[in-house]
Structures are given as structure tokens and as C-alpha cells.
Amino acid sequence: MKITLGLDSTSLTRRYPRLAILVTLFMAFGVPLSLYVAALAIFPLNTPERLNAMAQQWLGFNLAGSPYRYLVYTGFLLLVAFIAVNYTAVFGGVSTWVERRVAGRMQSRIGPNRTGAAGFLAWVADAVKMVLKEDTIPASADGLLFRGAPYFSMVGLLLPFVVLPFGESTVVTDMNVGVFYVTAVTAFVVVGILVSGWASNSKWALFGGIRGAAQVLSYEIPAGIALMVPVLMAGTLSMQGIVRAQGGYPWDWFVFQNPAAFVAFFIAVTSSLAEGNRTPFDLPEAESELVAGYHAEYSGFRLAIFLMVEWANMWIMGGLAVTLFLGGWQVPGITDEMYKAALGTGLVPSPTWFVFQALSMLVFAVKTWALVFTFIWLRWTLPRVRVDQMMSLCWKYLVPGAFLCFIVTLLWQLLVPPVGVKITGIVFTVFALVLLVKFLIDTRRNIDKVKGDRVDLSNW
Amino acid sequence: MTQEEVCAQLKEKFGEAVGALSETKGDRFVVVKSEKIVDVCRFLKTTPGLDFDYCQDITAIDWPARKVIEVVYHVYSLEHRHGLVVKVETDRDKPTLATVEGVWKAATWLEREIYDLFGVNFEGHSDLRRILMPDDWVGHPLRKDYQEAGGYHGIGNTRPDPLVQLSKTTDEKRKAFVAAATAAAAAAAPPVVEPGTATTTATAIPSAAADPEGKV
Amino acid sequence: MAIDMELDRHILRRTDAGDEEIVVNFGPQHPSTHGVINFVTQTNGEVIRRSVPDVGYLHRGLEKIGEQVPYPGYMPFTDRIDYLAAMFANEGYAVAIERLLGVEAPPRAKYIRAIAGELCRISNHFISVGTMAQDIGAATPLTHALRERESINDLLEELCGARLTFNYHRIGGVAFDLPVGWGDKVLRFLDHLDSYIQEWDRLITFNKIFVKRLANVGIITREKAIDYGLAGPNLRGSGVNWDIRRDMPYGAYPDFEFKIPVGTGRVGTIGDCWDRFFVRVQEMVESSKIVRQALAKLPEGDIQAKVARKLKPDAGEAVGRVESARGEMLYYAVSDGSEKAYRLRVRTGSFMAMGIIEELSHGIMVADLIAIIASLDVVAPEVDR
Amino acid sequence: MAEAIREYFGHITDVVKTFYQGLTVTLSYMLRRPMTVQYPDRLEKRMADMLPSRYRGLLEVDMAVCTGCMACERACPIAVIKIATDKDPTNPKQRVITQFDIDESKCMFCGLCVEPCPTGAIQHTHEFESTMKSVDSLVFRWVADPEQPAPFYRPVKGQDAPRAPLGEILRKKMAETSWIAPPSILGPGGPKQD
């Protein structure tokens, strides 16, 4: 009897290609969209006043007075946290798929294209595999710390979601110390790296852990100072305040409003690259030197957590930079008054308000995905810096640069009238546009420089 | 500078320690006494006219017939583009030789390899350890009388050769075929089943895979 | 003792200098030791006190096999000596035995040997340059290098039937003639190659991080390179203008003019890792020039000299030197008149390069050790044979 | 001091320039065709047919044209070929080949056996997919049954030997044997059969 294996075996997706596409579409758009709609619906309603009003009007129950009101508020907060955590996990997965496809294309290969349409379900398969895989613990590892390490990193990943604004009013809580809170909280990730490096009791992990600690801690400084620049320009630490201080059009964004902010933007992005352990700073898990760095001994679900932290961190890095420098969720056409008008007086806002929210969330997502694409693009172009070069880059270039930007912004605020700020905004926007166009032309010309290559988008 | 001139200079400097340039087919070489090898090499390297600064290769050849292990030095001068082959003979049972590591640093690893594969002991070598074979290996593989170890710490490196096994089965079958064809006797007696390997082969005669098992 | 093995049992041991030290085994299974090589390293985490290479994991005893297999039968084994530049291993063995027999390959065979050899050199340099970029952290140059190497593998597969272990040379000539239309396929590839190498330079060669990681790292002075017997790009990287194709010409190389790229210390000092890297990149351009000239002046005639079917060279010894991609490959064949060689010695460039790593490893960082190993382009099969 | 400042800012401009060039190159690859050949299932024709004519795949012997000269057995450096010849009892002039086995699991595809073969009986096919249920199945027996041995083929002067098209015999044999594990030739100690 002939057992046919491999080529012509009719696996599920081959017999019903439509099924594969349906499942992929559901996973690709259904899940993130449902999370977004849930965020859209629930985040704004999250303030105690609104909750009391809702309870009063719909259920006739006087929530404000009852002793259990804090229970209800925390219940709602848990629901919101559930949405945020799910969004992180889904984004972590989707960005791995995007990274593997983009990296493939940049390395003139394909990347995953068999599981699901265009290989999109690869990350679902990875997640399931990782959860089902046996998570071995080295015999001489420090059991408690070894098990706990990934959750430190995960906490460090999830806390910034509290202040990261998705849209005009879809933010978990609009803290008035937003930026300060974010810089404080992102240090948690390094605790996870250090603890996992030490607890694995493997020399490679130890090297990776120590390098991670040195890197993330020393890059907190330039990141912190560079983030102060938009705070100065907006006058408030609150993330929503900073975004409202910027307009929708590029010349209203802080990044173009003064030269120091332009430089501070690049310093902030470089330092957040280092904090997220992305190339050119992926020293803690340098494959070619330390085999796999701090998560060398991990497998199964704990490794899934570490990898999720690494990839979901890109959203936070991108989101932070977009909120503070690139105008956050500001939709070019819509001003504050229009949001207020659309909000209306009743308990349930008018549909136009929801449309505006969706638009603002979309703008924020597009800008953040653009930055995430840049992080991926940088990873597959640049080599890795050495440990001492990383430290010297931080202390000799980024820290003095950040201080300089801080001082220049102060002087800029004092000396330059608002109309001057607007002019520099326009001048810098034009300069950026010209640079972008030149860049794209060079890219196109690169293809013709190599004989025998041409633009060819086939072979997916 | 041709090899003859180099040999002449050597001869003139070291007298009888340096033999004549050989007349054999292929490359010609110079035989040097084993006590003088370090001085000869230092002389070759340092004298201005010779400048043999590039030690291309040091290797050894085992001559059991002459009870000698010959150590061969291929030295070359990058400046003057001339080369020389120097040979030293050491006794085969207790081969010892002075190291030329002082003259060329390249000799460190080359001599370690000769020590590992031939057993030539280089006195004064900074770090004489086995280089290719495991540290606790017994014997020197490149010697002519070396018996293959067939494995290391119980891990065998030989697999029963299927072809040898196969030919045994087919020999028996062919004898059976020839016996059946030539002997006019009515029923050829079934082949006697020898002990040992026969048990496996009797049942496991692999005719064309499609044949059912029964037909032998 | 090379490294105090007693150190190995302690995870952390306080030395007299006050800092704690560990003995780490870089290898034998390690992503960037280019094959099965182990570097026993004494380090305090970042700075290496000493790193002693421990080789022999891939020792197959090819020299012993040389004494047990008849002369023509040994040719496939020479591919296994350096499977990334197998054409040169074949050519070296063929040249050695031809000098032993006193036979001369016909001119067409010499030209074909030069073409196949230089193509193989380009493919080997792509691997060495690509893996070096990978070890420094940039993954994309490696896949681009492998893509270009694929086209060469396809060309050589059309020529001799195999992609890696060619077994294409024979004693006294080559096994097959060039297939029809193969020449212009090669020329089309070379046009693409020359323009691609400029893109390679834009992508990685002058990348600031790449330069900072390689400049002034693992500096080998001219005297030290000669003293340690380095060969090929490692020697030329240190400024020594020495290439067997030009200085001890063999085969068809006297008929071609080509430049020998030598390290000039353009970004750091002469003889640092970047110089060796850049010498290999330039050598690719030179090799494509040679292949063009060889294809243009390819003579007619047969491709195999008259050689007896059962080779029995009379007693004597001969040396075959070939400028392999990893430097000078020296075959020293001693025959005693029988059908099998009495002694076959193969000296390779990587073995000599391994010898210098211990001395370079004092006081460098872990990432530099990886960069030095990659720049010396050592490959385990060539070291252990 | 001025030198240090110039060098300090020189580093920064170098970084910007070289990153700019590097990034343009990688972005340009987003618009070029990846070179991946999507073996095994998304190819226009079988991989074996896309290989060049000199490709050295699995060995195949056409017993009809084998002259029994055993040149290939002598040429093989690792003794992978095993031939046994015998006098044909029925007519004394004719000799027969009763055994012609090649252990393809040990063969290193070097092509030294194909060269001396006078009639081209032994050839490298373009087949390379030789996954078998057990390594013993890779020992191909070209004389199927010693009882029907193959007679020596006498080559006719000036005429090419009528050889079967390349790969045909091998594909048929592989189709039969690849997924059926023969009883182990190597005796009880051999690899376990499921």
C-alpha cells in the first residue's frame, strides 16, 4: 500500500483555500478590530462620574452613595486592563509576523507564507506551540527567580499602557504625571532581564543579563531628558495635554516646531531602541556572541512571555515617540471644539463622536505602525555595537545632546514668538518632505544600479 | 638564489652537519643532523642574503623500513622568492628533536600536530599537547604501524557493511543456483543452515522487495 | 597548562587582580565559531584574559586516507578538505601529482581550471564576508551574499554536476569541458556581480558601526603575520604583497593581468579586521576580471593529458602550491612507486590562522574575539583535515 | 581640542551618511523579487527536471548494457559497488552477473565510477529525493534475483549501447521500495523496524 505524504497530501487549508483566507482575515482584522472597538466603547466610560451617571440613569441604582462603588470601579478597570493586555498580546504576535515578512523581503527571501493566507497564522501557531511546549527549568537554576523573571518584564511592558492614549478620549486614565510615570515604569523590564540572567545559572545568560542591565539603565537618562523637551513645549506632563498642545498638520507637531525637538526626537528614539533591546543595541541577546543571552535557558510559555515583551515593546516605543513628538492622535481636520460639540450633553455621545474617536485612533495606529516598521527596518540593516561603544555612545553623545536640547528648548520658548515657531514648523516640515522624497528617489535608483535587477513584486 | 647556492652557504657554515642536495626526482631536499637543526634554521632565517622568514610547513614521514621518522621543513623567503626543503631524521622508537618555535612562531602548532600524529617529542616546545586527537588518545595515527582504534570510549565508528552481508547471502544463493542447475539430481537439498550469521540470513534473504516473503 | 582547568570547576573565582573570572567554552557548538571549534576562554564577563583554541572535533584523518586510496581515487576527498573552496583543493592535489609524474595539463585545461577556481574564490569570499557581517550583527548582508553565491553554485553545478564537492579536476586536466553557452551565462553573472559589489559596499562595508567594530581590532603586524606563517587574505591584510598566482605562477595565471589587493589601513591601522575584510571584497572584483580574461582567451584543444589508467609514479616527492581562497594550500606528496601515495601532507591557510588567535586574544572583548575569528576566515574542516 | 571636536561631529555625520545609504539599499529590496524557489510544492515542473544535465544524483545501472568489466567497482574510492560474476552453467561461453549492489546510503556521488564505464550502463540520475523508511532500503540491488542473472553485454563496434532513458529504472525501483522497510539485512542488531 502506498502512503502518500508531503506533496499531494490534502491538508485542511489546501482543500478549502477559502477557509484559510477566512480564518486569516478573522485573525488579521477581526481580533484587533474587536479589541479596538472594545477600547473605543469602554475606555471613555471609565471615569467614576460617568459610571455613576450611567448607573443612575439606566439602572436607577444610586452608585455614588453605595459602599460598593469602588468594587464596581475596579471591576471596570479590570475589564479595561483585560482589553489592554489582549491588545498587547495580539500586537506582539502580529508584529512578529510583520517583522518576519518584512525581514524576509529585505533579505530577498519570502518569510512565512504557508500557515494561513500569506503565512499570517504563523504567529498564532508559534503562540500555541510555545504554550504547549514543555517549559524546562535547568537543574541548578534558582527556581523561584527563574519562574518569576518573565513576569517582571511583562509588568514593565503593560504598565505604560495606562497612560498611552489610543485616541482622543480612549485612554485608560489621563494621568497628569503621564510622562514621568512612563519613564519610571519602563525600568521594570530590566529587572526581568537581570533576574532571568542570574537565575538561569548559565554563563551565557549571566553575560546577557549584566549587559542588559548596563544598557537599559544607562539609556534611561538620555530617554528621560529627551522626553522632557515636549513636556517643556506643552507645559504639562499629561500625555493628553501634550497631544492637545500639538495640531493635526505636520507643522504643528512638536518635532518640527523647534530644532532642539527635532534632535530630541532622534535621541528619544535611539534610547528607546536601546531600552527595547533592538538592533543596533540587541546586546543582551546577541545571537552571535552569547548564543541567546538572558533567555537562553527559557522555553515554553516563559519564553513566549519574554518574546512578547520584546515585540510588544515596539508598540510602546513607537506610541511614546508618536504621542510626544509626532502629534499623537491629532486628526488633521478635527479641532478640540469639534470633539466637544460632537460629545453632546446626553449620557451616550452622538455617533459623530464615535466616528471622530475611530478616526483619531486610526491616525495614531498608522503613525505608530510607521515607526514600528522603521524599527524593524533598522534591525535588518545595522550591525550590533560593542558593549563599550554602546556605553560611550550613551554617555558621550546622547546625554550631552539631550541636555543641549533641553536648554535650547528653554531658550526657544523664551525668545521665539509663536509666529516664529509656526515658521520653523513649516520650514522643518518642508525640509523633512524634501529629505523623504530624495530618500525614495535614491531607493528607486538603487534598484537600477545593480544590473539585472528590476522592480518585481511577484513571488509572495 | 638557487637551491645549490643556499646549500653551498649552509655547507660552508655547518660543514658535515649538512648533507648534499639530493638528486631524487621531483623536489630536492637537504638532510641535516638533528642536533644542528635549530642553528641551521636560525642561520637560514637571519643571514641577510637568505632571509627564509616564511615557514611554510613542517611535517613528518614515517619510514619503518629505515626505522626513522623524518621531519621535513618547507621554508621559504618572501623577499628573494626562493625556497628550501630541509629534512631531519630522528630515531623511530624514541623520536626527539629540538623545537624551532624560537625561529618561526608558525612552528608552535605545526610541531604540536607532528607530536600528536607521529609522536615526535619536541624539547623546549612551549605547549606540547595533542592538537587534533582527544587528549587521552592512545597511539599516533599517522604512523605506518598504527592499528585503527575502531571507536572512542565505547562509541564505535564502524557500521556492519551491508554490502558484505549481502554478498554472503547472494553467494549462498548462487551456490544453490549453480548446484541446482549443474547437478542433475532431482531435488537439490536445501542449503545447510550454518550457525552464526546464517540464522539471520536464512530468513532475511532480501529478494526484490515486491516478492512475497515466502518465496526464497 | 594552556588554561588552568581547575578554574573550570569554579563558576566565579577571584583572581589576584581582584576581579572575578570564569572559564567559558566558546564552542564547540557556537553560532559564530565557523564550524566545530572550541575556544576555551578565561574572561571576567566582557574582557578576555586568554582564549585557547581547542581543535580536532572535525578531524577525519584525510592524510591517513591519502595513504590508503589510489592516486585518482583521492580526488573526491580533497573536496572535503575545504568544502567552501573545493575547486582549489582539487587543483592543488592535481598539480602536486602532476609534478610528481612530470605531466603537464594542456593549456585549455589550465584556463578552465583558472575560470572554475576564480568563480569558486568569489563564492567562498561571499560566504566569508557574509558570515563576518552576520557575526558582527547584521543579518541582511549574509542572505544577500548567499543569494549571489547561489548563482555561482548553479554555474558550477552546470559545469561539473555538484554544488559544493565538485570533484572536477583530474590528474593531468579536468573532467568535463565547458557546456555550450556556459561562457555567456558566466559573463552575464559577472556584469551583475561587479555592480552588486558596489551596492555591498554601500550596505555594510563603510557602515559606521561596522567600521567601528572592526577598525583597530585584532591588529596583526607585517612581521607577526609572516612569523606565524599566515597565508592568503590574512597575510595580504597585513600589508604583505604575496600571492602565489603572481609570485610562484602555476597553471594559466601568467597570461592574466590582475591586481593583488593589499591591506592599507584605510579606516584603522594596517592588518586590522577591517583590512582583511576589505581585501576579500576587492579580491572578488579581481577574480571576476580574471574570469573575463580567461573566457576571452580560452584556447582550443583537449582537456586531459595522456595519463596511465593505473598511476604508478616512481619514487620521489613533490609539492603542489595553489593560492586557495583561504591562502596558500600546499600538497606534499611522497611516492614510493606503488599505486598509493606513501605520504600525503596537506597544509592549509586556516590551520596557520588558528595559531595566531591565542596571542591576539589577550585583553580583547568577547565581541572582538568573534570579529577576529570571522576576519581570519577559519573553517573547521580546513583546520582539522 | 579642535581636532577632538571635529572628530566628535565627524562620527555623527559619518553615522548619518552611512545609515542613509544602508537604509536605502534595504528598503530598495522591498521592491525586488525574492529569489526563493518554493520547493517542493509551488514549482512549475518537477525539481529533478530543472537540474542541469551533469547533475550527479542517485546512481542507476541499466543491466541490459552492463559488460560486467567491474571498472566501476575498482574506480570507487570507498568500495560502495559490489559485483559478483559467474559462468553461466547453461552455455559455457557466456558469463553472467549474479550480483550488482550499490549502497547508495554510503555513496558520495563523486562520479568516478561513471567515467570508466564503456557503455554508460552506470549513470548519475537527477533524482535526489531518497528518503527511505530504513537505511537498508538504500542498498539498491540492480540484479533483482541471482537466479535470473544478467548476461554480459557485448558492445557492438561503432554503435552506442541502447541504454534505457536516464532515471526511469531508478524511479520505478524507488517507488516500490521507498516506503516498505525490507527485513533488516544487518541481522537482529540492525536498526529496529516498526
Side-chain angles (χ1 to χ4, degrees):
Chain A
M1 77 305 188
K2 245 158 95 69
I3 313 158
T4 59
L5 269 184
L7 300 194
D8 50 10
S9 79
T10 52
S11 61
L12 204 61
T13 50
R14 179 165 301 288
R15 247 184 276 133
Y16 310 108
R18 272 188 317 286
L19 179 73
I21 295 169
L22 271 175
V23 168
T24 315
L25 281 180
F26 167 71
M27 284 306 291
F29 299 103
V31 171
L33 216 61
S34 56
L35 282 169
Y36 247 51
V37 164
L40 177 64
I42 294 166
F43 279 21
L45 309 179
N46 196 10
T47 51
E49 304 78 23
R50 194 164 279 280
L51 283 177
N52 298 346
M54 264 171 36
Q56 197 59 38
Q57 199 169 6
W58 286 347
L59 310 174
F61 168 65
N62 168 12
L63 186 61
S66 81
Y68 302 107
R69 61 184 180 282
Y70 286 107
L71 215 61
V72 171
Y73 301 153
T74 40
F76 242 86
L77 272 180
L78 279 180
L79 181 63
V80 161
F82 175 74
I83 293 170
V85 167
N86 271 326
Y87 181 75
T88 329
V90 165
F91 173 82
V94 167
S95 57
T96 39
W97 175 71
V98 167
E99 168 142 30
R100 286 172 65 183
R101 289 292 295 198
V102 163
R105 192 87 195 176
M106 282 188 180
Q107 297 181 345
S108 69
R109 53 184 175 84
I110 290 180
N113 68 345
R114 291 294 162 80
T115 41
F120 180 79
L121 297 184
W123 68 271
V124 176
D126 285 352
V128 166
K129 174 197 76 177
M130 288 238 191
V131 168
L132 298 182
K133 271 267 166 69
E134 178 211 3
D135 44 13
T136 54
I137 299 175
S140 53
D142 179 331
L144 189 64
L145 289 182
F146 187 87
R147 290 180 178 81
Y151 305 111
F152 281 115
S153 296
M154 198 166 93
V155 163
L157 164 77
L158 293 177
L159 284 181
F161 272 88
V162 171
V163 283
L164 205 59
F166 281 73
E168 194 267 341
S169 61
T170 47
V171 65
V172 180
T173 52
D174 177 11
M175 281 187 189
N176 47 26
V177 284
V179 174
F180 181 70
Y181 166 83
V182 167
T183 40
V185 143
T186 44
F188 246 95
V189 178
V190 83
V191 175
I193 295 174
L194 250 181
V195 165
S196 68
W198 173 258
S200 317
N201 192 18
S202 122
K203 294 171 185 167
W204 301 121
L206 185 65
F207 288 162
I210 306 295
R211 280 188 182 185
Q215 170 176 315
V216 176
L217 289 185
S218 60
Y219 274 86
E220 292 277 335
I221 319 283
I225 300 163
L227 295 189
M228 282 309 125
V229 166
V231 167
L232 282 175
M233 294 164 78
T236 159
L237 271 171
S238 131
M239 300 284 252
Q240 292 290 47
I242 291 175
V243 172
R244 285 203 173 82
Q246 299 172 56
Y249 296 100
W251 48 84
D252 295 337
W253 296 345
F254 278 159
V255 81
F256 295 129
Q257 292 215 324
N258 79 33
F262 191 74
V263 172
F265 170 71
F266 286 105
I267 292 177
V269 165
T270 320
S271 338
S272 59
L273 266 180
E275 272 171 53
N277 297 336
R278 296 279 308 180
T279 303
F281 303 101
D282 59 349
L283 289 140
E285 85 266 337
E287 292 83 17
S288 61
E289 286 145 26
L290 308 179
V291 183
Y294 61 90
H295 52 72
E297 298 301 334
Y298 280 81
S299 62
F301 187 65
R302 289 190 198 87
L303 182 64
I305 297 280
F306 267 127
L307 295 183
M308 183 188 84
V309 166
E310 205 183 308
W311 262 281
N313 219 324
M314 281 202 294
W315 174 268
I316 295 188
M317 294 193 284
L320 210 62
V322 162
T323 315
L324 298 177
F325 288 96
L326 300 177
W329 41 261
Q330 288 281 11
V331 183
I334 305 172
T335 60
D336 262 0
E337 296 70 27
M338 291 162 78
Y339 282 112
K340 293 260 176 327
L343 190 56
T345 54
L347 186 59
V348 177
S350 67
T352 54
W353 183 80
F354 281 101
V355 166
F356 287 161
Q357 290 307 319
L359 261 178
S360 65
M361 287 169 83
L362 186 69
V363 162
F364 179 75
V366 163
K367 286 183 193 171
T368 315
W369 269 104
L371 268 179
V372 165
F373 173 79
T374 336
F375 295 145
I376 294 172
W377 177 16
L378 277 173
R379 174 172 184 181
W380 299 104
T381 315
L382 302 178
R384 188 180 304 120
V385 281
R386 211 176 40 199
V387 180
D388 59 327
Q389 288 164 351
M390 175 261 291
M391 298 304 278
S392 77
L393 172 71
C394 171
W395 295 104
K396 288 193 196 137
Y397 290 86
L398 294 190
V399 168
F403 274 121
L404 198 68
C405 294
F406 190 78
I407 292 155
V408 167
T409 320
L410 285 181
L411 298 178
W412 190 270
Q413 298 290 76
L414 286 176
L415 303 178
V416 179
V419 71
V421 168
K422 202 147 207 39
I423 294 165
T424 34
I426 293 164
V427 161
F428 265 85
T429 317
V430 165
F431 165 70
L433 224 60
V434 163
L435 198 68
L436 185 66
V437 166
K438 178 176 184 310
F439 187 87
L440 293 178
I441 293 168
D442 278 356
T443 309
R444 181 64 189 78
R445 207 179 297 132
N446 262 334
I447 297 177
D448 305 335
K449 279 189 188 148
V450 177
K451 265 201 250 332
D453 277 11
R454 49 181 171 63
V455 179
D456 178 347
L457 296 177
S458 64
N459 201 4
W460 275 95
Chain B
M1 241 173 118
T2 66
Q3 292 189 338
E4 286 75 14
E5 287 150 10
V6 174
C7 279
Q9 273 202 358
L10 274 178
K11 198 97 178 104
E12 165 239 319
K13 174 82 168 66
F14 289 94
E16 92 303 336
V18 172
L21 201 59
S22 76
E23 293 314 323
T24 60
K25 199 170 171 318
D27 297 346
R28 304 168 65 185
F29 51 88
V30 170
V31 182
V32 170
K33 287 279 179 300
S34 55
E35 314 79 44
K36 283 290 190 201
I37 186 62
V38 180
D39 312 338
V40 165
C41 291
R42 187 155 289 125
F43 174 76
L44 284 174
K45 179 167 184 187
T46 46
T47 44
L50 300 174
D51 292 317
F52 282 91
D53 47 6
Y54 190 69
C55 167
Q56 271 186 333
D57 183 18
I58 306 174
T59 185
I61 307 172
D62 178 17
W63 299 95
R66 302 192 341 239
K67 302 202 72 48
V68 140
I69 286 186
E70 212 178 45
V71 179
V72 184
Y73 297 78
H74 288 267
V75 288
Y76 198 78
S77 157
L78 294 184
E79 271 166 75
H80 310 301
R81 302 280 192 272
H82 57 238
L84 187 70
V85 180
V86 175
K87 288 197 177 182
V88 175
E89 282 168 5
T90 60
D91 161 40
R92 191 166 185 281
D93 306 333
K94 250 174 62 32
T96 59
L97 195 61
T99 174
V100 292
E101 196 182 358
V103 182
W104 299 291
K105 290 293 279 175
T108 323
W109 271 46
L110 290 167
E111 285 175 352
R112 269 182 68 190
E113 187 186 4
I114 297 172
Y115 164 70
D116 186 357
L117 300 180
F118 281 91
V120 176
N121 202 330
F122 288 91
E123 292 129 359
H125 191 282
S126 59
D127 170 22
L128 204 58
R129 283 180 301 125
R130 278 191 183 271
I131 187 168
L132 292 179
M133 305 309 282
D135 288 346
D136 56 359
W137 190 264
V138 172
H140 300 291
L142 268 180
R143 286 197 175 196
K144 289 292 179 186
D145 53 5
Y146 173 73
Q147 297 309 329
E148 200 140 315
Y152 177 63
H153 284 301
I155 309 153
N157 59 10
T158 49
R159 170 173 85 116
D161 180 359
L163 286 180
V164 169
Q165 207 65 22
L166 255 180
S167 59
K168 271 212 204 70
T169 51
T170 33
D171 290 351
E172 281 136 22
K173 280 192 72 111
R174 208 168 62 252
K175 275 202 221 64
F177 161 71
V178 167
T182 50
V192 163
V193 171
E194 303 106 0
T197 61
T199 48
T200 58
T201 51
T203 53
I205 291 172
S207 51
D211 294 2
E213 192 51 49
K215 180 177 154 311
V216 168
Chain C
M1 247 316 270
I3 272 202
D4 185 348
M5 274 314 159
E6 197 257 332
L7 240 185
D8 196 3
R9 276 196 304 284
H10 301 278
I11 291 297
L12 269 176
R13 179 168 172 275
R14 194 168 295 284
T15 61
D16 36 31
D19 52 3
E20 289 147 342
E21 279 202 348
I22 311 175
V23 172
V24 187
N25 278 325
F26 270 76
Q29 202 189 12
H30 185 272
S32 54
T33 51
H34 292 245
V36 196
I37 306 172
N38 179 16
F39 291 88
V40 184
T41 318
Q42 212 175 336
T43 168
N44 70 352
E46 275 314 323
V47 177
I48 293 176
R49 175 184 297 276
R50 198 154 49 126
S51 171
V52 178
D54 159 25
V55 288
Y57 293 90
L58 200 54
H59 178 58
R60 297 147 293 176
L62 281 171
E63 292 178 4
K64 186 78 176 179
I65 295 173
E67 294 162 10
Q68 291 158 357
V69 168
Y71 285 102
Y74 189 67
M75 192 58 83
F77 288 97
T78 55
D79 300 332
R80 270 78 180 171
I81 290 176
D82 177 8
Y83 46 73
L84 289 176
M87 213 52 98
F88 296 110
N90 289 352
E91 193 177 2
Y93 178 66
V95 166
I97 307 300
E98 279 158 17
R99 289 197 59 220
L100 201 61
L101 290 165
V103 168
E104 187 71 22
R108 185 177 175 86
K110 283 189 186 163
Y111 269 70
I112 294 179
R113 278 186 179 171
I115 296 169
E118 293 310 318
L119 278 178
C120 201
R121 187 191 308 278
I122 297 174
S123 102
N124 169 71
H125 282 341
F126 265 129
I127 283 265
S128 124
V129 155
T131 42
M132 184 160 177
Q134 166 83 12
D135 289 352
I136 305 294
T140 312
L142 175 64
T143 32
H144 289 183
L146 290 178
R147 180 197 67 225
E148 297 304 321
R149 185 169 171 274
E150 273 315 305
S151 352
I152 300 179
N153 278 354
D154 292 345
L155 287 172
L156 291 177
E157 187 180 39
E158 268 177 59
L159 179 64
C160 45
R163 301 169 60 84
L164 206 63
T165 52
F166 306 113
N167 188 19
Y168 175 53
H169 294 248
R170 295 293 178 270
I171 294 162
V174 280
F176 311 102
D177 205 332
L178 302 187
V180 175
W182 190 76
D184 11 320
K185 271 192 196 157
V186 170
L187 289 176
R188 215 176 316 123
F189 166 70
L190 291 179
D191 301 342
H192 167 75
L193 178 80
D194 294 344
S195 57
Y196 173 72
I197 286 182
Q198 275 127 36
E199 177 180 280
W200 173 272
D201 285 350
R202 282 201 307 278
L203 176 64
I204 192 75
T205 308
F206 298 105
N207 183 301
K208 190 60 186 168
I209 296 181
F210 194 72
V211 164
K212 286 285 280 180
R213 276 291 301 276
L214 293 177
N216 304 323
V217 168
I219 297 167
I220 304 178
T221 61
R222 188 191 154 81
E223 294 67 29
K224 203 192 284 182
I226 295 174
D227 196 17
Y228 271 88
L230 293 186
N234 302 339
L235 192 63
R236 290 191 284 278
S238 307
V240 178
N241 198 332
W242 167 255
D243 186 322
I244 295 188
R245 292 174 295 177
R246 184 199 55 195
D247 300 331
M248 296 170 69
Y250 60 94
Y253 286 104
D255 311 352
F256 311 129
E257 324 89 29
F258 51 95
K259 200 165 56 60
I260 305 293
V262 174
T264 54
R266 178 167 163 176
V267 289
T269 51
I270 295 185
D272 58 10
C273 285
W274 194 86
D275 269 356
R276 287 187 283 276
F277 168 84
F278 198 55
V279 158
R280 288 198 181 89
V281 172
Q282 287 173 315
E283 260 182 26
M284 284 197 266
V285 177
E286 294 307 317
S287 295
S288 81
K289 251 193 268 171
I290 295 175
V291 174
R292 278 184 213 278
Q293 290 166 34
L295 277 172
K297 296 190 275 186
L298 191 62
E300 290 311 315
D302 57 3
I303 52 168
Q304 170 74 38
K306 272 283 152 292
V307 169
R309 180 164 295 284
K310 271 171 92 68
L311 283 182
K312 276 198 169 22
D314 39 17
E317 58 178 54
V319 164
R321 282 191 192 80
V322 161
E323 181 63 31
S324 157
R326 280 183 185 71
E328 177 198 333
M329 198 173 226
L330 183 137
Y331 280 81
Y332 173 51
V334 177
S335 85
D336 60 353
S338 76
E339 206 189 11
K340 298 181 172 128
Y342 186 76
R343 167 81 166 104
L344 188 69
R345 158 73 175 161
V346 185
R347 169 223 176 270
T348 53
S350 298
F351 186 77
M352 311 311 283
M354 282 301 289
I356 202 168
I357 287 181
E358 180 177 354
E359 201 201 311
L360 290 178
S361 69
H362 298 302
I364 59 169
M365 311 199 68
V366 165
D368 291 342
L369 176 69
I370 304 290
I372 289 174
I373 298 167
S375 77
L376 289 169
D377 192 13
V378 281
V379 169
E382 251 209 344
V383 172
D384 304 341
R385 290 176 306 280
Chain D
M1 184 51 190
E3 174 55 33
I5 292 174
R6 199 176 314 110
E7 198 207 330
Y8 183 86
F9 288 104
H11 286 320
I12 298 173
T13 46
D14 272 357
V15 164
V16 171
K17 250 202 304 353
T18 49
F19 281 20
Y20 178 90
Q21 281 173 358
L23 289 169
T24 50
V25 169
T26 32
L27 189 65
S28 67
Y29 271 94
M30 291 296 288
L31 306 170
R32 300 189 215 187
R33 185 181 193 284
M35 60 160 298
T36 320
V37 172
Q38 303 204 28
Y39 172 85
D41 52 359
R42 296 186 183 165
L43 296 172
E44 312 86 54
K45 50 185 162 65
R46 247 166 62 84
M47 190 59 176
D49 311 336
M50 292 158 71
L51 294 172
S53 64
R54 286 183 184 158
Y55 180 75
R56 300 202 291 257
L58 290 169
L59 279 171
E60 176 197 59
V61 180
D62 180 358
M63 292 314 293
V65 288
C66 171
T67 61
C69 63
M70 295 160 85
C72 53
E73 186 178 12
R74 277 194 304 276
C76 176
I78 44 176
V80 152
I81 300 170
K82 181 88 180 73
I83 302 172
T85 58
D86 212 337
K87 272 203 309 304
D88 183 353
T90 48
N91 68 49
K93 272 199 329 317
Q94 172 74 356
R95 285 184 63 79
V96 289
I97 308 158
T98 55
Q99 178 198 6
F100 196 120
D101 302 334
I102 299 179
D103 180 356
E104 303 257 357
S105 69
K106 219 163 76 173
C107 166
M108 59 177 172
F109 307 110
C110 63
L112 286 179
C113 53
V114 172
E115 270 167 40
C117 180
T119 57
I122 185 166
Q123 291 283 351
H124 279 290
T125 60
H126 291 179
E127 297 303 315
F128 58 92
E129 289 141 333
S130 60
T131 42
M132 295 283 181
K133 198 154 195 181
S134 95
V135 75
D136 310 331
S137 333
L138 269 176
V139 178
F140 287 150
R141 305 168 41 73
W142 298 104
V143 171
D145 186 353
E147 273 137 28
Q148 288 94 27
F152 281 18
Y153 166 77
R154 281 193 187 65
V156 171
K157 267 285 164 297
Q159 215 187 22
D160 283 350
R163 193 194 186 288
L166 195 61
E168 208 177 86
I169 313 172
L170 181 75
R171 267 196 294 272
K172 193 164 56 64
K173 177 181 274 294
M174 291 240 310
E176 289 151 15
T177 58
S178 61
W179 292 107
I180 299 163
S184 160
I185 310 165
L186 309 179
K192 308 237 176 348
Q193 300 306 311
D194 49 16

